[in-house]
Amino acid sequence: MQTTERQATAERRPRWFGSIRINPWLPPLALVAIAVILILVEDVPNPVSLALAAASSLVALVGAIQSVAQGLRPVAASFYIFWFSWLGIGPIAQMTVGKVAWGDSTVLAEQGQVQSALALTLLAIAAFWAGDHIARSRPPRGGKPAPPATIRPGVQVVLSVALIGVGLNAIRVLGLSSFFIPRQDRSEMLIDTVGTQAEVGGAATALYTVLPSALAVTVTLLAVYRMQLDWRGVGGIKAGQLVHLAIGALGIAVFANPLSQTRFVALLAIGSLLIVLLRPRSPRAGFVYLAIGLVGTLLIYPLANAFRTANATVNDITSRTFTGADFDGFQQVVNAMNYVESVGWAWGHHIVSAVLFFVPRSLWQDKADPASLEVASFAGYRFTNLSLPIHAELYMQLGLLGVAVGMLGLGFTAGRLDAAWLGAPLSKMAMIAPVAALATFGVLRGPLGAQVPVWFPIVLLLLLAVRSGDRKSADAVPRM
């Protein structure tokens, strides 16, 4: 009976190659994407640039649809969606209106450098797609899905106590009200109280900002995972887990709220928790995820800008949205390539500095600043705290080889995490997947020096707190 059900399910699945049956969602989504592109590109002056940008958009769009059509693969889906909007539609719109962010009037002037940046972008998303699909084609280790993981005894208590201690210390130093004011005001308060990052080092400032939010997210996720592992109905929930959940949720409300934290921190905290709670895995859930992602990145931003000015036209909305500060990614790719041409490769200096963010600058004088600061300063921007797409930062480290290998590895990692999410619920890798799915927005937007301190502590704490299940007894453990 089980085999028959599997065969029936397989027959109902959409087929992509060598078959008459096509996923019914593919044509309308493709037509919508084509329509959006055509509306934006009617005046693009260079067909080669348009072809490269359109190809990058198409790879990302196809990857996004493939990541939801047979069940949601949240890590890859998030990456493809953001790439399609930010590095696909964004550059096309900017070439259409002949304008980019931060008043830079030189980036689009030289078509040769524009096309080189577009070609690098196409190489990067193609390498990610290849790595993702290599991972999908690999069977699970041992031929069987990984069993449910276990949470190490006592680790939840340790992390909850740490959150209380670190959180109360941050509130003592900065005041509770500082966590419910605009981020810029809180940053100024932090400088007045503690000092600038250059004076006290990133580790000191992270003690009052990054660490409390990371602990809050980890404590909350572990409490939910423990409830799911031990699920025996609502009446079977242990009081201790409710206490951990309450401590973590209160920590998120204080230290990861969108009022005083960056959008990425708030999105990572709230979004990963929603994925863990809702556990979206079906194709229907996948297409809802895809729709929310595309609407959020392509429509909400334009509508938000439209309300800022009365009587704004569609042209105005497009111009303000895709040439504003939120869409500075493509020009930073151009700037990064110019930087490498003049300065040379960094040989991994920025990546190592990002991973070892917790090392005080007093102990490591040569510790690199986030790479985007150097690139923006080299380009002559007065404001240098910009984004830097992951493939541009990889190019800064080791050129084309760094981009190809790095993006291939990133795609492979996404594919393995997604495979665990779909095929091995509550396994150790599956528990990392929701955090990784939201972390991809920061990984892609960059720079690593600014984004790694946000998500890496959460992933590290989860890896340390969770123990892989015993494969020998996997068949005896019921799955949710």
Side-chain angles (χ1 to χ4, degrees):
M1 177 66 180
Q2 188 175 4
T3 303
T4 303
E5 290 177 353
R6 287 180 179 176
Q7 291 175 346
T9 301
E11 291 175 357
R12 290 195 300 269
R13 287 177 178 171
R15 301 173 185 175
W16 293 91
F17 305 105
S19 173
I20 298 176
R21 191 176 302 174
I22 299 176
N23 190 286
W25 285 87
L26 179 57
L29 283 174
L31 289 174
V32 169
I34 292 172
V36 170
I37 293 173
L38 288 177
I39 290 173
L40 294 175
V41 304
E42 57 176 323
D43 294 323
V44 170
N46 192 294
V48 176
S49 299
L50 171 59
L52 290 170
S56 175
S57 301
L58 183 62
V59 173
L61 180 61
V62 170
I65 295 173
Q66 289 178 331
S67 297
V68 302
Q70 297 184 12
L72 175 61
R73 298 175 176 268
V75 185
S78 298
F79 193 90
Y80 288 126
I81 290 170
F82 192 36
W83 190 289
F84 173 75
S85 302
W86 195 51
L87 292 174
I89 298 299
I92 292 175
Q94 290 170 352
M95 289 187 294
T96 302
V97 300
K99 180 182 176 183
V100 297
W102 306 112
D104 191 338
S105 59
T106 62
V107 165
L108 300 179
E110 177 55 51
Q111 282 299 311
Q113 68 180 14
V114 169
Q115 291 168 9
S116 296
L118 290 171
L120 185 70
T121 301
L122 177 58
L123 168 66
I125 189 61
F128 181 91
W129 185 91
D132 178 27
H133 282 70
I134 290 172
R136 295 188 193 191
S137 65
R138 287 172 57 101
R141 186 162 61 91
K144 294 182 179 180
T150 57
I151 297 175
R152 298 182 188 276
V155 71
Q156 289 180 270
V157 174
V158 171
L159 291 176
S160 292
V161 171
L163 171 59
I164 293 173
V166 171
L168 289 177
N169 182 58
I171 293 173
R172 177 186 65 83
V173 173
L174 300 177
L176 180 61
S177 61
S178 69
F179 294 97
F180 297 94
I181 61 178
R183 181 163 55 97
Q184 183 61 37
D185 295 341
R186 186 167 67 89
S187 298
E188 294 175 358
M189 181 180 296
L190 183 63
I191 292 173
D192 293 338
T193 306
V194 181
T196 65
Q197 183 165 326
E199 295 170 343
V200 301
T205 54
L207 182 63
Y208 305 108
T209 56
V210 175
L211 187 56
S213 63
L215 285 170
V217 174
T218 306
V219 168
T220 305
L221 293 181
L222 287 176
V224 176
Y225 282 140
R226 187 61 178 269
M227 292 179 189
Q228 293 175 348
L229 286 167
D230 299 338
W231 187 253
R232 297 292 185 273
V234 176
I237 298 177
K238 297 179 180 179
Q241 297 309 315
L242 292 176
V243 172
H244 291 306
L245 181 62
I247 292 173
L250 181 60
I252 289 177
V254 175
F255 302 113
N257 67 78
L259 294 176
S260 61
Q261 275 288 12
T262 65
R263 289 173 297 179
F264 176 52
V265 171
L267 178 66
L268 178 64
I270 299 172
S272 59
L273 179 59
L274 286 175
I275 292 177
V276 171
L277 289 172
L278 299 177
R279 291 175 285 180
R281 289 187 172 89
S282 67
R284 176 175 295 180
F287 280 108
V288 171
Y289 192 91
L290 175 61
I292 292 174
L294 291 177
V295 168
T297 54
L298 289 176
L299 292 181
I300 290 181
Y301 277 177
L303 289 176
N305 283 336
F307 285 116
R308 294 177 186 174
T309 304
N311 303 321
T313 66
V314 174
N315 232 8
D316 293 336
I317 296 172
T318 301
S319 177
R320 293 196 193 106
T321 299
F322 295 107
T323 63
D326 289 320
F327 281 84
D328 60 358
F330 174 66
Q331 69 194 81
Q332 281 289 79
V333 178
V334 177
N335 292 332
M337 297 183 75
N338 291 334
Y339 175 90
V340 170
E341 185 177 350
S342 297
V343 179
W345 295 339
W347 301 104
H349 188 202
H350 297 98
I351 295 178
V352 174
S353 298
V355 174
L356 299 179
F357 66 91
F358 51 86
V359 178
R361 196 170 294 276
S362 59
L363 300 178
W364 185 7
Q365 295 294 333
D366 194 37
K367 185 177 180 181
D369 290 323
S372 62
L373 301 183
E374 296 182 23
V375 173
S377 179
F378 175 82
Y381 295 167
R382 287 183 297 176
F383 183 74
T384 58
N385 187 19
L386 310 184
S387 67
L388 186 67
I390 178 62
H391 64 296
E393 189 157 357
L394 291 172
Y395 183 80
M396 287 179 62
Q397 311 310 308
L398 202 57
L400 293 177
L401 178 62
V403 174
V405 174
M407 295 301 295
L408 189 73
L410 193 60
F412 184 84
T413 302
R416 297 305 289 175
L417 289 170
D418 285 334
W421 173 256
L422 274 179
L426 291 179
S427 65
K428 187 171 184 175
M429 292 283 281
M431 290 183 179
I432 304 297
V435 176
L438 277 302
T440 55
F441 291 99
V443 171
L444 174 51
R445 192 176 190 277
L448 293 176
Q451 304 297 347
V452 167
V454 176
W455 58 264
F456 183 75
I458 301 173
V459 173
L460 180 61
L461 288 172
L462 287 176
L463 288 174
L464 294 175
V466 176
R467 183 166 49 199
S468 298
D470 185 2
R471 288 181 176 272
K472 294 181 180 179
S473 59
D475 294 336
V477 179
R479 290 185 177 273
M480 293 189 67

